[in-house]
Amino acid sequence: RFLRAYQSLTPGAYKADFFRYLVLMKDGGIYADVDVMLDTTLDSFVTPTMGFFLPLDAVGQQVNEKFCLWNGLIGSAPGHPYIIRAVERMMNLVLNRADLYDMEREICRNEKHMGETWKT
């Protein structure tokens, strides 16, 4: 199923996103886009007990909209439930041939989750 979902994705950026989630699910770690510029060190906010983090999308905040979560910086412990759920959901959307609107509607439907909620 993983391979079939991966091969179904176009463009390549979607494949990169999916691959990133799979690696984080299996091995854990921190992923950052090459152009991410932090104001501080990761040590200042990533604690030894933190299992997952993912920032809110700044573009959405600038136009007073909730574009949900930004995948340019992600940290996860191996097998964390949030990353497992992201992989499962992405696979189901891809294999069921959902479009971008379906994906964003599903991801953004619960507005009560704010930044700290995603840091566990």
Side-chain angles (χ1 to χ4, degrees):
R1 282 189 67 192
F2 293 119
L3 183 59
R4 193 170 50 142
Y6 179 83
Q7 290 172 334
S8 298
L9 289 166
T10 55
Y14 295 163
K15 288 183 179 200
D17 290 343
F18 188 54
F19 184 77
R20 166 184 328 157
Y21 302 154
L22 291 172
V23 169
L24 289 170
M25 182 178 73
K26 180 183 177 296
D27 297 327
I30 296 174
Y31 168 83
D33 282 349
V34 69
D35 58 349
V36 168
M37 301 287 287
L38 299 176
D39 305 15
T40 186
T41 66
L42 289 172
D43 292 334
S44 67
F45 70 92
V46 177
T47 64
T49 59
M50 183 182 292
F52 186 85
F53 71 87
L54 181 67
L56 291 173
D57 190 324
V59 174
Q61 293 172 343
Q62 292 170 7
V63 292
N64 216 15
E65 292 284 337
K66 293 203 182 314
F67 286 94
C68 293
L69 304 172
W70 181 57
N71 70 356
L73 178 64
I74 306 173
S76 180
H80 191 280
Y82 288 168
I83 199 71
I84 289 172
R85 179 68 178 131
V87 167
E88 288 173 345
R89 190 67 191 132
M90 189 169 184
M91 280 193 356
N92 289 333
L93 287 167
V94 169
L95 294 175
N96 291 325
R97 306 198 50 81
D99 62 20
L100 185 59
Y101 177 76
D102 294 327
M103 291 181 198
E104 290 198 359
R105 184 183 62 219
E106 177 65 24
I107 294 167
C108 298
R109 72 176 180 206
N110 189 351
E111 294 184 15
K112 73 180 182 178
H113 290 295
M114 296 306 289
E116 290 297 317
T117 304
W118 298 98
K119 291 169 67 174
T120 61

